[in-house]
């Protein structure tokens, strides 16, 4: 079996989802990450702020909230 990178890691510091110190919505693992952006999930308020500052400096701040990466959306085919 091929090794693949963990898709659920903080995009700022690389902390894996479910690791000690990762912040969850309402403090519950089942509710998903507490912080995320259109580029991925963030583990903490500190990483969220660092990501926001970096995006502001780049001029790439999103214009609308990113969809929840843990919310299931069925694929619509046309």
């Amino acid at each position: 079996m091929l090794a693949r990178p963990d898709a659920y890691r903080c995009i700022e510091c690389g902390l894996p989802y479910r690791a000690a110190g990762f912040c969850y919505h309402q403090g519950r693992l089942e509710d998903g990450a507490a912080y995320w952006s259109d580029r991925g999930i963030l583990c903490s308020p500190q990483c969220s702020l660092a990501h926001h500052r970096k995006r502001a400096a780049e001029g790439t701040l999103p214009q609308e909230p990113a969809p929840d990466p843990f919310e299931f959306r069925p694929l619509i085919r046309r």
Side-chain angles (χ1 to χ4, degrees):
M1 178 178 259
L2 295 174
R4 63 177 178 82
D6 186 359
Y8 298 114
R9 288 185 171 275
C10 177
I11 59 174
E12 280 298 310
C13 71
L15 184 69
Y17 188 72
R18 294 191 168 117
F22 205 101
C23 295
Y24 306 104
H25 184 67
Q26 297 182 353
R28 295 173 36 122
L29 176 83
E30 304 82 34
D31 290 339
Y35 305 94
W36 65 87
S37 81
D38 57 334
R39 294 185 179 173
I41 61 174
L42 298 148
C43 69
S44 66
Q46 294 83 6
C47 281
S48 178
L49 289 170
H51 184 68
H52 179 79
R53 287 185 196 113
K54 184 189 320 182
R55 297 279 303 263
E58 293 172 349
T60 59
L61 284 174
Q63 299 303 309
E64 60 186 39
D68 184 342
F70 289 91
E71 187 176 296
F72 176 73
R73 288 188 185 90
L75 180 61
I76 299 173
R77 292 195 170 159
R78 295 182 184 201

